[in-house]
Amino acid sequence: MKTFRLWVGRSSLLLILWLLALPGAMAQVPANPIGLNPFGLKWNQIETDKVQVVFPQGMEVQGQRVAQLVHMLHDRDNVAIGNKKDRVSIFLQNQGVLSNGFVTVGPFRSEFYTTPPQFDCTTDWLDLLTIHEYRHVQQFINSRHGITGFIRKTFGSWPFGGLMATALPRWYFEGDATITETALTNSGRGRLPAFEMEYKSLLLSGRRPSYDYASAGSLQSFIPDWYTLGYYLMSYGRERYGAELWRDVAEDAVRYKGLTFPFSKTLRSRTGLKPAGMYEEMYDAMQKRWQTELEQRNSQTDAQLRSTRKKRTVIDYNNPLYIDDRRLIVTKRGYNELPSFYLIDEAGKERLLARPGVLGSALNSTLSYAADKVCWAELGFDLRWGNRSYSVIRVQNIRTGRKVKLTKKSRYYSPAFSPDGKRILVVEASIEGYATLVILDAETGAELQRLENPEQWFYSFPRWMEAGEQIVTVAKRGGEMQLQRIDLRTGRAEGLSPRSNAQLSHPFPKGDKVYFSAAYTGTNNIFVVDQAGQLRQLTDVALGAFQPAVAPDGRRLAYSSFSVEGYEIREMTLQADTGQPYTPPPVLQRHYAELMAQQEGGDIIPQLSTTSDSFPVKKYRTWTGLINPHSILPLIEDPLVGASILADNKFSTLSMEAGGFYNYNDNEWTFIGTLTYAELFPVINLNHRFADRTMNQNNYSIANDTTVVLSIYSEEVQENRTSLGFTLPFNFSAGRYATNLRLSANYQLLNLDVDEARFDRPQNFRDTIFVSQVNRESPLFRERLTDGTRNAMDLRFTFFSFRRRAIQHLESRFAFVFDARYRRLLDGEASEVFTLRSDVYLPGFARNHSFSINGLYQRQDILDAYRFPNFFVYPRGHNGVLGDNVYKIGFNYSLPLLYPDVPITNLAFLKRVKANLFYDYGRFNFDNIFRDFSLQSAGVELTFDLRWLRLVEVDCGVRYSYLIDEGLGLDSRHQFDFLILSITQ
């Protein structure tokens, strides 16, 4: 009994502490977007006691394989994560062209985006994705211990997720999943030299970021992400302390055995090291091993740097292509620049050629050149459905600048011009996950030829042989890759390179040879293979060489080489005897990959191919589990306390919320209930709100035939508001611009209960006005607000278009926002409000600076008895004021000041310091007073980008406002405010 009492006391204290920290914890859990899948898409499912796999009709083969693999993973003895087990729902999303996946706690499910990337592991994409994402499922299930498990049972999914993510660092989740995908396949990121080269670049450059630096990241310098940090840090821990280390540490952490920084304290109790100490040991071990590998290399590559412009931040140069014997076209992108195409001349001078839309990552994107034109693939968007996207082909003439969108609603990747520029070769990734090589007309985009693929190879990076009747491509199947040459007339394919589990990419044919990048040596290097299959190694770089291109005269080879400052273009001379003959090893060995495979039991994919399990398939109805409450969210945010219940169905079409909140400053209650249904094209909204409202009133009344009394007072109203309406969301995004239009219309039923005593309070402001004769028909005289029911409408038009931002851009360099809203009562009683806002963003004096102007206008008769909620944004530092017409224009100039990248004790890591200089001018007037009143302010906002408690990204700071016009109701012209602009994961 004594033990039980101690547990209750400890749990109560933890619960109180967690409730106080709730806003930070909740910031780590993303909201659920809904209405993402096209209406009318037919779905099937496989249901077992271990998994539910839901997939579009036509993906039965993939659904069976995912279910079989999950069963194998479920039944394994998972000593490294724990053996708690539960059933999960997995949705296969095949309508988009992005390659990704996620697991979320509320509602508990996983979603797989099934289209494979071009630059990939040798393991099948869906197999790798299943292993990685199901490991997250196991992490979440095995975090249901102690106070964290208690919170899940008491408050549901999202509070559980917030508390779990507060206890465990983000590198734990992704590092453990990356270890699993590596250990249970013959591929996985931990076996890829392109994954390893990131930390190796830090070690070989002499940089040694601290643990805080490595875990927080940087907006200025290159730091590998938490996938890489987690993989190496957790692999080192498992090598030294055993496979069970992180299982035990995580279980103690989610039990909160240590009220603050529980993960760090439990790790120290088991190893004597905090994460920072283990990181230092891991770094030393990796540096020693990689330094030894570097010393054992036989040669250095004799190559000159072609991208010679000095880098002030991380800049990547990729996809070099010769347009003549000396000049190159490249793709350039960086922390301060969106991807663009540049021409680099022999002296290293750069000239901008084109600005493409959203490209793939540096090694997933391609560029092709012929006949004065370049072509590429970029992301295309569906008008309505978020899960449907496209990969479209664009072509631009570099001499005239004319750019055309060659294909629409296509799924084409890695386009390549034929030598004469009249045809384009692409990979088409079908919604079923298969790859087909297709030839298009370069002028019209019409399909000219489709190559059969009966053996179901997955193709990537196809290119034309110079003769124009053969092509070469990377082909993947069964956990292996090889280069294949395909004859367009016969369709016959033959292997040019041996099959291997080494990653191959970016072939470039020249004459009777094919140059390509391969990971044969444990580093991605450039190789060449001739028609007879003779293989030669051309580069021997320390980090990675990719995307080879040969000059028209065949004398020079350019390639993209990784460095700690970003990819750079290097060039070397080619001769007949350049390079060394090379024979690939049968298997690529990596230190941690082999150790983790031994602990986990090794590659399980061969077992999957021999299983005879086949699960029954049945129809999935999208209304299944439509009402699905999953979380109770307490709210403690001064001066509000309360809670809400959230309900989202797993198919992401219906979202509901019900809650109540008490404002203890004003002694007022608010109750809400919302329902949003988004399976159809219009999004249907239904909500109810009961609230104690305070409405500021202005009222003229007649005392006698020559006397008018002006009263200004606050009316206390209990308002029940029920609203039903719809929203039409349109996504017109294309190229570099994200463009959205939203039209919404809502009908509102208002029931008001007015506190009659407010009008006659002695402390109300009154002013007696004497006139010669009262005009009783004057519009000044209105009835006061009374109890009863009103009907109202709410119409809104919102449009925004902004150029996408690079990492360091504070705002979009070009953006336009327009928002118009009209609300009015539909009964005879007059009350209406019209609000208009428009923002324009323009470039500042430097690349990362921003200048913006925002203007607002609101029209509302101050004598209206019923007042709609006021959303007007007043000049900074001033209180809101009433007026029949209110105007505001604001000017902002934003700029970064510093990128310090320094820890502030254990609380935060400071990444960036920013400033925003502003001037606001506001004006308000009254219809019956011939005078305008102005409100002006100027000042500065100093804000900071922080990694707070190693958990969340926080943008916060302070604002100083100097009130040029004396503020109404304010004691000082000097106003200070604390700002929290965003909290994100």
Side-chain angles (χ1 to χ4, degrees), residues 641-643 660-663 666-671 690-693:
V641 293
F661 309 98
Y662 177 68
N663 185 320
D666 298 330
N667 192 28
E668 294 179 346
W669 279 95
T670 299
F671 298 95
F690 168 81
D692 293 320
R693 291 189 58 198

Side-chain angles (χ1 to χ4, degrees), residues 52 151 165 217 309 669 710:
Q52 176 192 33
I151 288 295
R309 177 167 290 189
W669 279 95
L710 167 63

Side-chain angles (χ1 to χ4, degrees), residues 65 116-129 181-182 185-193 456-458 460 474-482 498-505 517-520 524 586-588 603 605:
R65 189 170 181 89
Q118 290 285 282
F119 188 80
D120 196 12
C121 306
T122 58
T123 300
D124 177 82
W125 166 249
L126 199 54
D127 290 347
L128 201 72
L129 191 62
E181 74 175 55
T182 302
T185 70
N186 72 344
S187 182
R189 272 167 285 194
R191 298 182 189 273
L192 293 184
Q456 296 301 330
W457 292 91
F458 186 81
S460 56
V474 174
K476 179 179 79 171
R477 192 182 68 182
E480 295 179 325
M481 284 184 176
Q482 71 170 166
R499 295 188 185 186
S500 168
N501 78 323
Q503 184 186 47
L504 311 181
S505 66
S517 175
Y520 294 137
N524 290 80
V587 178
L588 185 63
D603 188 1
I605 301 302

Side-chain angles (χ1 to χ4, degrees), residues 606-617:
Q607 304 172 40
L608 183 64
S609 62
T610 61
T611 183
S612 59
D613 292 342
S614 181
F615 303 104
V617 176

